């Protein structure tokens, strides 16, 4: 070992920031005017959102006959998008809960933004079952409540109802977790804006008021921190099994049916691994954009990107293993329909989608084994987009190829998405990025108090 | 002691978490009990140094979890068995294994609500007014300064001797906190 080799760990925050600088660095994007990059990305995202709004308005007014569905393929784009977005959300909870329990201290810089991503992704996911109802104004009928339609209850034995409970619980918990994590930071912003509130403009005074109210009078006393830390630990412990349950229940929507290609016991773990894989892909995409757009290079370092790449390799390996297992079981079962479902998946009319999926999810991420590629941010960005595309196609492949050719050849059909469906998918991306960009402008995108706690990590005592 | 009722307490400011922790330990050794420390981020061991032993939060969360499980079971059992029984090939009405996913979800939901509202309640939030904010420099407590406040309701509190004690801890400054 050479003498120049440091025994200290790589610091989690670069650029030798002091505790005071952490506050001003992270608050800076909220206090300056938005840059050209921000406006450019926001305009693009907002245009996509508006396109989606037009599509949704049209299909709600006209009916879901505007979609490309037919009697054989009754689920396609909508459920694909739903599962895709729910999966994206899982990485946020994984970062804030799994990695917290595993004492991965690097998570502090990315946890806030990843949790925000979870909330926005679940919002995007929620749109699709809602519009698939055709008459979304009756959406409350999925909730069990005493009603005047006779004693008519929802079917508690149906995975679709379990989904209602799982997704709404997941959204509620994620939002609570996120808000409580924000309280100490909102207090820091309150104290920061207090300096300018007396002389500042109306906008500054309004923001000071909002931060004051939302920070609940937080004063950072040791007793409050103690309660807050127990809360955080308990919430992490609760959110960890929750996130596993959510995607397991989503997979039950398929696995409890008798359709070849869906009816498999591997689905719950396979879906959870896929969700983490796609979620970390999206976290990488977002963080690589965000650190550039709002200049957080000192906080979201190459070390963070490197660690997330390794998680992508690991979860991608699980997904690849699940693909192989599925094919093996289909062959080993000796069941004609099961074997056909998988042969049709790979070589049938939707074989191109299967090949995109395998290329993006199994082969492309293997490049991340190479350190040079992990250090090349452009390469990582492109690979993260591949993961996003691959995982979207995975859900499309599972749903559409299993449905379009089932037991009876006379009922086989093809599926082509209509423009309305494509516009709705684009719109969901628009909603996601619009919400995320607005979040970057009004709330601290990095957890100030947590980063302060890890500032000395990897530095000598007294050197800060 | 008449003057001590006119102030909320005395507050010392430190530049470093380690110094604050040491001062807090000394204050506890000196017999002060009614005090609190204010920091921009959690400092390991500070709550123990003040003499704050454990939080009741886990118990509250357990009760919330059990309430959630019971609620979810009753919510599903009542329609399935009493209000809206459906005979599906003679299968049992109380098909509890099918109720497990929702029981799990509501367990987590109620437990989390118990955790959130438990923390807010135990910490006395939201708190529109707190005397510590009367100290001009206290706004730095959310930035990079560390404060120790010995409250006037402590039996050992005396404006002169407590101030002297805090000065001995070599703080940046000691301030009186208006009530």
């Amino acid at each position: 070992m050479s003498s120049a080799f440091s025994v200290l760990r790589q610091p989690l925050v670069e650029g030798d920031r002091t505790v005071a600088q952490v506050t001003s660095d992270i608050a800076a994007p909220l206090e300056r005017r938005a840059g050209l990059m921000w406006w450019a990305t926001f305009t693009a995202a907002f245009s996509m959102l508006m396109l989606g709004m037009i599509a949704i308005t049209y299909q709600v007014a006209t009916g879901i006959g505007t979609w490309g569905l037919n009697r054989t393929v009754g689920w396609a784009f909508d459920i694909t998008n739903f599962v895709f977005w729910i999966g994206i959300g899982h990485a946020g909870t994984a970062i804030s809960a799994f990695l917290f329990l595993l004492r991965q201290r690097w998570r502090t810089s990315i946890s806030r933004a990843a949790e925000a991503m979870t909330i926005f992704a679940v919002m995007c996911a929620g749109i699709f079952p809602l519009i698939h109802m055709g008459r979304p104004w009756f959406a409350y009928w999925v909730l069990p409540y005493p009603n005047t339609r006779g004693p008519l209850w929802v079917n508690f034995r149906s995975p679709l109802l379990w989904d209602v409970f799982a997704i709404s619980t997941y959204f509620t918990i994620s939002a609570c977790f996120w808000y409580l994590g924000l309280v100490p930071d909102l207090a820091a912003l309150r104290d920061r804006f207090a300096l300018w509130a007396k002389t500042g403009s109306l906008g500054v005074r309004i923001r000071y008021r909002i931060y004051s109210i939302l920070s609940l009078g937080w004063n950072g006393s040791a007793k409050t921190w103690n309660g807050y830390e127990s809360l955080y630990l308990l919430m992490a412990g609760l959110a960890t099994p929750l996130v596993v349950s959510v995607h397991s229940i989503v997979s039950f929507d398929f696995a409890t049916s008798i359709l070849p290609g869906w009816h498999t016991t591997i689905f719950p773990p396979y879906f959870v691994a896929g969700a983490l894989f796609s979620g970390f892909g999206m976290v990488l995409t977002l963080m690589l954009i965000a650190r550039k757009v709002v200049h957080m290079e000192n906080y979201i370092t190459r070390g963070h990107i490197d660690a997330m790449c390794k998680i992508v390799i690991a979860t991608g390996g699980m997904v690849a293993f699940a693909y192989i297992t599925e094919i093996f079981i289909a062959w080993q079962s000796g069941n004609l329909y099961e074997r056909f479902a998988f042969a049709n998946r790979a070589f049938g009319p939707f074989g191109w989608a299967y090949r995109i999926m395998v290329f993006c999810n199994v082969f492309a991420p293997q490049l991340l084994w190479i350190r040079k590629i992990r250090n090349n941010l452009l390469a990582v960005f492109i690979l993260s987009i591949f993961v996003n595309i691959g995982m979207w196609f995975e859900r499309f492949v599972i749903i559409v190829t299993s449905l379009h050719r089932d037991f009876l050849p006379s009922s086989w059909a093809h599926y082509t998405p209509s423009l309305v469906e494509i516009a709705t998918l684009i719109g969901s991306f628009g909603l996601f990025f619009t919400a995320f960009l607005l979040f970057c402008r009004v709330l601290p995108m990095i957890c100030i108090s947590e980063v302060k706690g890890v500032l000395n990590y990897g530095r000598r005592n007294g050197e800060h | 002691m008449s003057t001590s009722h006119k102030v909320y307490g005395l507050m010392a400011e430190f530049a470093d978490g380690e110094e604050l922790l040491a001062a807090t330990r000394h204050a506890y050794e000196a017999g002060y009990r009614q005090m609190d420390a204010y920091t921009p981020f959690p400092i390991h061991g500070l709550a123990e140094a003040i003499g704050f032993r454990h939080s009741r939060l886990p118990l509250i969360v357990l009760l919330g979890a059990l309430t959630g499980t019971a609620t979810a079971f009753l919510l599903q059992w009542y329609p399935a068995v009493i209000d809206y029984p459906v005979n599906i090939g003679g299968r049992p009405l109380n098909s509890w294994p099918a109720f497990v996913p929702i029981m799990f979800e509501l367990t987590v939901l109620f437990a989390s609500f118990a955790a959130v509202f438990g923390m807010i309640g135990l910490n006395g939030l939201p708190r529109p007014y707190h005397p510590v904010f009367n100290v001009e420099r206290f706004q730095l407590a959310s930035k990079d300064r560390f404060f120790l406040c010995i409250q006037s309701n402590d039996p050992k509190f005396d404006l002169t001797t407590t101030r002297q004690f805090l000065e001995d801890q070599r703080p940046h400054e000691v301030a009186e906190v208006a009530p």
Side-chain angles (χ1 to χ4, degrees), chain A residues 113-169:
Chain A
E115 283 168 29
M117 182 194 81
T118 296
I119 293 169
F120 305 143
V122 177
M123 279 161 51
C124 291
I127 292 173
F128 290 97
L130 211 60
I131 53 178
H132 195 163
M133 287 174 184
R135 292 183 291 172
W137 49 95
F138 289 132
Y140 65 93
W141 282 8
V142 303
L143 301 172
Y145 66 99
N147 54 57
T148 53
R149 304 188 291 274
L152 182 62
W153 289 85
V154 290
N155 183 5
F156 285 108
R157 297 176 183 109
S158 162
L160 295 175
L161 188 76
W162 304 345
D163 245 3
V164 172
F165 278 85
I167 305 297
S168 47
T169 300

Side-chain angles (χ1 to χ4, degrees), chain B residues 2 19 90 108 137 153 178:
Chain B
S2 59
E19 290 169 20
V108 173
R137 285 179 65 81
N153 58 4

Side-chain angles (χ1 to χ4, degrees), chain B residues 13 16 18-19 40 46 48 58 66-67 72 74 105 123 139 153 158 164 170:
Chain B
E13 175 190 332
D16 191 293
E18 298 291 316
E19 290 169 20
L46 195 57
E48 288 80 2
L66 295 176
T67 313
L74 291 174
E105 297 304 325
N123 281 340
Q139 41 146 316
N153 58 4
D158 178 86
Q164 190 54 49
R170 292 202 282 164

Side-chain angles (χ1 to χ4, degrees), chain A residues 227-461:
Chain A
Y228 175 85
E229 287 198 294
S230 352
L231 168 82
Y232 212 87
L233 183 62
L234 285 162
M235 288 291 268
L238 290 167
T240 301
L242 174 68
V243 75
V244 173
S245 85
V246 169
H247 228 61
S248 298
I249 289 177
V250 168
S251 81
F252 292 164
D253 292 348
F254 308 103
T256 56
S257 73
I258 53 160
L259 194 70
W262 286 4
H263 184 67
T264 51
T265 47
I266 199 182
F267 261 27
Y270 166 26
F271 268 51
V272 173
L276 292 175
F277 178 60
S278 68
F280 273 97
M282 186 59 95
V283 174
L284 273 174
T285 312
L286 268 187
M287 294 302 136
L288 286 167
I289 299 174
R291 75 195 282 274
K292 279 278 168 233
V293 174
V294 292
H295 309 294
M296 288 293 170
E297 284 93 341
N298 281 331
Y299 296 91
I300 302 168
T301 65
R302 280 165 191 273
H304 291 107
I305 306 293
D306 192 68
M308 285 191 279
C309 286
K310 288 173 183 165
I311 296 180
V312 167
I313 300 174
T315 48
M318 294 178 206
V319 169
F321 181 67
Y323 294 164
I324 297 166
T325 310
E326 266 194 329
I327 294 167
F328 172 74
I329 294 295
W331 167 78
Q332 198 254 2
S333 70
N335 182 308
L336 179 70
Y337 297 105
E338 192 74 15
R339 281 185 180 183
F340 173 76
F342 282 88
N344 180 54
R345 198 172 269 189
F347 306 111
F350 289 103
W352 56 273
Y354 185 83
R355 287 188 286 275
I356 291 177
M357 166 189 109
V358 170
F359 173 75
C360 291
N361 293 348
V362 180
F363 294 107
Q366 303 311 321
L367 289 172
L368 292 171
W369 286 97
I370 304 161
R371 189 189 296 271
K372 261 197 178 148
I373 290 183
R374 289 204 303 274
N375 277 330
N376 183 335
L377 298 183
L378 182 67
V380 172
F381 183 73
I382 293 169
L383 286 173
S384 76
I385 302 278
F386 272 128
V387 171
N388 292 327
I389 295 173
M391 283 309 293
W392 189 88
F393 271 102
E394 179 197 296
R395 280 64 176 254
F396 181 81
V397 163
I398 291 174
I399 292 164
V400 176
T401 65
S402 308
L403 277 173
H404 88 122
R405 288 182 168 178
D406 60 359
F407 303 99
L408 265 185
S410 61
S411 63
W412 287 2
H414 199 72
Y415 165 76
T416 323
S418 72
L419 285 176
V420 174
E421 286 172 289
I422 295 168
T424 314
L425 170 63
I426 294 171
S428 70
F429 276 94
L431 172 63
F432 181 72
F433 286 109
T434 304
F436 192 82
L437 286 163
L438 288 176
F439 154 74
C440 290
R441 293 282 305 151
V442 296
L443 290 170
M445 65 166 286
I446 292 174
C447 188
I448 300 173
S449 60
E450 277 192 23
V451 166
K452 285 177 179 171
V454 299
L455 209 55
N456 285 335
Y457 186 83
R459 295 191 201 171
R460 265 186 296 274
N461 268 343

